[in-house]
Amino acid sequence: MLLLWSIFVFVLNTNQVAAAKTKANTKTTLKQFMQLSPDLQCSACKFVSKGVRKWVHRKAFSWKKFSKKKKRKWVVKSLEKTCSSVPEKVCTHENENGRKVFGDFNALMKEGGGLSGLSMGGGQRESLMGACAELTGVFAHEMILGYISVKRPGRYHIHQDLCFELTGACKGEGDDHERIDEIDDNVDLGDDDSDGSDDDDLDDGNNDDEAEEELLLASQLEKLMQKEEL
């Protein structure tokens, strides 16, 4: 009995140490993301979750017909497109709740009205791009699994998963956080390719199921290493 208890304690401690090391390694990999203030971490996380969701939902009408391989390829493409869609002019400002957030300066100017705590200097665009690259690289596997496991993309709550469970970036917002996942899968988002015209690059072919994911992770890691060298 004592031997069994000793083995149980040993396994428990080993798992706790492994979990701590994994968490520490994740924080190291998320270097630029962790350098942001808590408010901007949440804002960057929202940018990623909204961007990925927007791209994935372009295939909302045909999602349940896709094989897991096609779903995987489209999610990988969506992750790449999200970071390449960072606005040319990124600013930070305070939203209506007094939280610091990233914003598209040109779009905000078109909307009109005053902006509290507006800041344009200090490399906001580079900070957002760096955080995006880290989040889509480190958590690519989790987001891919989340989407390929559902018949409709709206069934996977990416914001809850990425910004609350995986990073904890938006936990401070509690129940008052922006609910970005509550959209109808049957609503035309304006750029869904329901005719399949953009499906050529999703052909199953003979590639390994995880090839695209591995390429993305390798690409993101290379980018992070290049930035470290600079």
Side-chain angles (χ1 to χ4, degrees):
M1 190 71 179
L2 180 60
L3 178 60
L4 289 175
W5 176 253
S6 299
I7 293 175
F8 171 75
V9 172
F10 173 77
V11 172
L12 180 62
N13 290 337
T14 300
N15 290 339
Q16 289 176 339
V17 171
K21 287 183 177 179
T22 300
K23 188 174 182 180
N25 290 336
T26 299
K27 286 187 175 182
T28 301
T29 310
L30 295 175
K31 183 177 180 180
Q32 294 188 65
F33 176 76
M34 296 302 296
Q35 288 178 347
L36 298 173
S37 67
D39 282 351
L40 290 181
Q41 286 182 13
C42 180
S43 181
C45 193
K46 281 185 177 181
F47 172 84
V48 173
S49 59
K50 285 182 179 180
V52 175
R53 185 199 64 172
K54 176 183 177 181
W55 276 95
V56 171
H57 272 263
R58 291 183 64 180
K59 300 297 182 183
F61 292 102
S62 50
W63 196 252
K64 62 182 178 180
K65 299 177 182 178
F66 277 4
S67 65
K68 285 189 176 182
K69 185 177 291 186
K70 279 191 175 182
K71 289 179 179 179
R72 183 187 299 275
K73 288 184 176 182
W74 186 249
V75 176
V76 168
K77 184 174 182 179
S78 299
L79 293 173
E80 295 171 343
K81 290 289 186 180
T82 295
C83 293
S84 65
S85 65
V86 174
E88 287 298 319
K89 290 186 177 181
V90 177
C91 65
T92 58
H93 65 96
E94 293 180 4
N95 64 11
E96 62 275 9
N97 296 319
R99 297 190 177 98
K100 202 76 171 177
V101 296
F102 286 109
D104 181 343
F105 180 76
N106 290 334
L108 290 169
M109 290 299 99
K110 288 182 181 179
E111 293 177 3
L115 293 175
S116 178
L118 177 66
S119 177
M120 283 291 295
Q124 280 88 345
R125 186 172 190 270
E126 290 72 18
S127 295
L128 181 55
M129 289 183 68
C132 183
E134 291 175 347
L135 290 172
T136 55
V138 173
F139 300 112
H141 182 68
E142 287 82 356
M143 288 185 278
I144 290 170
L145 287 182
Y147 275 117
I148 68 175
S149 64
V150 295
K151 292 183 178 179
R152 295 183 177 183
R155 301 295 185 189
Y156 171 55
H157 297 277
I158 183 174
H159 178 60
Q160 179 69 27
D161 193 24
L162 182 63
C163 303
F164 282 77
E165 303 299 330
L166 294 174
T167 65
C170 296
K171 281 188 175 180
E173 295 191 0
D175 295 330
D176 191 38
H177 71 274
E178 184 178 2
R179 301 189 178 278
I180 68 167
D181 289 306
E182 296 177 357
I183 61 175
D184 188 344
D185 286 318
N186 297 316
V187 173
D188 187 349
L189 299 183
D191 45 14
D192 180 273
D193 299 314
S194 55
D195 61 352
S197 60
D198 196 29
D199 289 349
D200 292 342
D201 59 340
L202 300 180
D203 184 25
D204 283 344
N206 296 316
N207 294 327
D208 184 82
D209 282 354
E210 298 185 0
E212 291 292 336
E213 180 184 352
E214 291 173 355
L215 286 174
L216 172 67
L217 295 175
S219 174
Q220 298 291 9
L221 180 59
E222 182 179 357
K223 290 178 182 178
L224 291 175
M225 291 176 67
Q226 289 175 348
K227 289 182 178 179
E228 288 294 326
E229 292 175 357
L230 295 176

